[in-house]
Amino acid sequence: MPLNPPAIDSLHDILPEEPLLMMGAGPVPIPEPVAAANGIVINHLGETMARVLDQVKRMGRYIFQTETPWIMGVAGPGSAAMEMAVINLVTPGCRVLSICNGFFSHRLSEMASRVGGNVERWTVPDGQSADPEQIVEVIKRFRPQVLTMVQGETSNTTFNHRLPEIAKVASEHDCLVVVDAVCTLSTMPLKMDEWQVDAVITGGQKGLSCIPGVSLVAFSEKAWAHIENRSQPVAHWTLDAKLAANFWHKASYHYTAPVSGLLALHEAMRLVCDETLARRYERHRVCSQALQAGIERLGLELYVPKAARLNSVVGIRLPENMPAATVCGHISKHYRVEIAGSFGPPIVRIGQMGEQCRVHNLFRTLHALGSTFKDLGVAVEVPAAMAELENALQRQKRGSEL
Ligand SMILES: *Cc1c(COP(=O)(O)O)cnc(C)c1O
């Protein structure tokens, strides 16, 4: 019996008439030039692509703040870039220290362990960032060859603000430092060379405000020497960095690159360069902190204390007995704003990455959040919070162009 084609609705019928404002933990809204570039297909090899790749690498050096030539894209999610960094640097039996702040940093440790790494996990309690004084003791005892950590832990909105000190001490002990900057890259300072980081990972759909599914990884010269010298080939052909270098550095074939995604990435990175990192960091800081002030003025509690709080994703503690799904469902249905639940802690999360950090999006989101809690019977002060948002922006702006 031949199978008949299924009855299918057109996308037009599936997609909402009025798009939702994507204020969750990623993907985030994309600027028009990124969307337009994503609609183009060109040859994956040849002169035009070579120019695109050359510019992506040059922009990457600026955005990662590094002089390393070893920047390459990955056809895949942020997780594929994580995996590419981990499996090219970790060999069986290699001692790996994984600083675990939550879901994503734990994923790095899992990847290291799956390729046979001898993984020690250092678990940081929720609400705190990793403490270099403690890490140095573990480094001295365990003598890791690779250290993995996140700059920002999206899952519970923690910021490892002492990353520079941790990377420095690890480097001094001859340990390669792998940093996941998926949600933070281009939203806050990350100085790969100055901080002696050996591999930086990012995805498209968060800090860079690009599409999901195309990612970037940068390896230091030291990390690259390690990759060149490994005796055993990497088990995963597609994520083998040496093979990827054929495409990224020798204009030859590895696999058919996600050309549309790379064009989109090019545009997202060009917009970062146009804005400059300094102004972009400032925009993220000002917007996120103003939003946080507004949320607190509503009468809600931010999940992470100020010292360890991430600006890129803001975590809001839920009132007792109120599931995240109720809040996320209500705000989406009634206010057409999408926010995120969590993978564990009793919070909802609002993203402050890329296009999410625009003043008009802050007002709409704070109003939607406040109104949602009010509808759900929580005593919140919406007018006062809206005024606080405006006041906080005025206080913080100091002439920055938002
Ligand atoms: C989202 C995220 C990832 C995973 O990215 P995917 O594209 O979902 O694979 C990894 N690390 C951090 C810190 C993230 O925020």
Side-chain angles (χ1 to χ4, degrees), residues 79-99:
S79 301
M82 293 162 85
E83 202 134 42
M84 186 151 170
V86 169
I87 72 174
N88 281 277
L89 296 175
V90 175
T91 45
C94 172
R95 290 184 303 282
V96 180
L97 173 59
S98 288
I99 301 178

Side-chain angles (χ1 to χ4, degrees), residues 25-27 76-82 103-105 107-108 111 149-155 180-184 201-207 211-215 310 313 343 349 353:
S79 301
M82 293 162 85
F103 191 77
F104 290 111
S105 36
R107 183 178 292 180
L108 282 167
M111 289 170 174
M149 66 185 292
V150 294
Q151 183 176 32
E153 177 54 70
T154 319
S155 64
D180 174 339
V182 175
C183 75
T184 50
I201 297 150
T202 200
Q205 79 277 27
K206 298 192 191 172
I211 58 162
V214 185
S215 305
L310 187 60
V313 185
F343 307 108
R349 297 172 299 155
M353 298 174 282

Side-chain angles (χ1 to χ4, degrees), residues 64-68 89 139 145-149 162-179 190-200 218-223:
F64 289 103
Q65 290 286 292
T66 178
E67 289 184 40
T68 186
L89 296 175
I139 289 176
Q145 295 154 287
V146 174
L147 178 146
T148 66
M149 66 185 292
R162 299 184 73 182
L163 158 63
E165 293 157 85
I166 294 170
K168 183 163 182 286
V169 71
S171 293
E172 283 166 3
H173 287 79
D174 211 23
C175 171
L176 296 170
V177 178
V178 176
V179 172
L190 186 149
K191 299 176 179 173
M192 182 172 171
D193 285 2
E194 193 180 313
W195 296 354
Q196 298 173 271
V197 176
D198 295 293
V200 180
F219 292 105
S220 69
E221 292 278 13
K222 193 165 125 198

